[in-house]
Amino acid sequence: MDGSERTESQSESERPRAFFDYLRKQVLPIRPSQYDLSNTCNLVCEGCLFFAGSDYEGHVPVTDLQQIDRFFAAEAARGINYAEVAGAEPSLVESKLVVMSRHIPKGVIYTNGTRKLTRELDYRLQISLWGLPEESAKLRGADIFAKQVRNYGNDPRAIFVFTITSQNVNSIPEMARLCADKGLRLSFNHYSPTSDYLNRLSDNQLDRSDYFRFSDSQDNLLLSPSDLVRSQVRSEEPTSELQSPV
């Protein structure tokens, strides 16, 4: 190996080290904390985590922004530097998010994408997808894909996350094609049922609610082992080979 080859080899080996040095100095350590800033939502997603059981009924939302400011100042003071904001629908309380971001400038917001959040929030946005328009209408109470694209299609903060259930597993290739056509960044997760959802399915006297409208032993969101296998195979299908529906 001559001198130029050694220099090039050393340079390549130093790149990962330089990257991790940057992470340690500029990013790490990450000290995350999760917050629910709203107890309302504008959708009715079947099997919703936040509205499972009755615990959410005891959540009294704080509306005093000065109180919220003091709370997040204390969170930052105890070392929290990454916020994870979930239930119920955080975009409905944008003013709280803005106050929070002044103290914790980095984080992720899990949102359904029906409300456009201010660019003042420099957070990653995970936009939830539950399938094709007709599947979304059944599972969430509304077809919201066009609105999601309009709000976040060109937003560098946004990643669209397709929640795979037994109801939409066959739609993975078409959903991926739709997102590719719109230039959307797409990721996936698998629906995980709450104990409340499972208990309702096993109960002969089904207790219906806005978030448990149609599920029963024959028609529900649960992924079988074969569904899980199919979800992996379908996720790997190249979108370039998919044909547009007639």
Side-chain angles (χ1 to χ4, degrees), residues 2 11 100 239:
D2 62 27
S11 177
M100 176 188 66
T239 58

Side-chain angles (χ1 to χ4, degrees), residues 50-198:
F50 184 86
F51 291 106
S54 59
D55 179 66
Y56 72 92
E57 295 175 357
H59 293 195
V60 179
V62 177
T63 57
D64 184 343
L65 293 183
Q66 290 185 341
Q67 183 179 347
I68 293 169
D69 184 81
R70 290 192 297 270
F71 172 79
F72 283 112
E75 289 292 276
R78 74 182 181 96
I80 301 301
N81 60 11
Y82 193 88
E84 298 179 357
V85 189
E89 174 45 49
S91 67
L92 300 179
V93 289
E94 184 180 70
S95 59
K96 295 182 184 181
L97 297 173
V98 171
V99 171
M100 176 188 66
S101 69
R102 292 170 184 164
H103 299 285
I104 308 175
K106 297 183 183 299
V108 58
I109 298 171
Y110 305 99
T111 174
N112 59 37
T114 57
R115 297 284 187 96
K116 190 170 185 176
L117 287 167
T118 174
R119 290 298 183 109
E120 187 177 347
L121 293 166
D122 190 22
Y123 278 34
R124 172 67 69 201
L125 305 178
Q126 292 202 8
I127 315 298
S128 58
L129 298 173
W130 279 48
L132 298 171
E134 60 273 19
E135 293 163 340
S136 179
K138 176 182 178 182
L139 299 177
R140 315 189 78 177
D143 166 18
I144 59 173
F145 184 65
K147 183 178 290 187
Q148 291 172 311
V149 173
R150 186 166 61 250
N151 287 341
Y152 296 105
N154 296 313
D155 195 320
R157 301 172 298 175
I159 294 178
F160 288 71
V161 182
F162 182 7
T163 296
I164 301 170
T165 73
S166 62
Q167 304 275 322
N168 60 28
V169 64
N170 290 325
S171 302
I172 292 173
E174 188 173 355
M175 197 71 233
R177 180 185 58 77
L178 285 174
C179 290
D181 289 347
K182 300 292 185 181
L184 309 178
R185 288 181 292 178
L186 178 64
S187 184
F188 300 88
N189 63 19
H190 292 87
Y191 177 75
S192 180
T194 64
S195 57
D196 177 73
Y197 186 80
L198 294 174

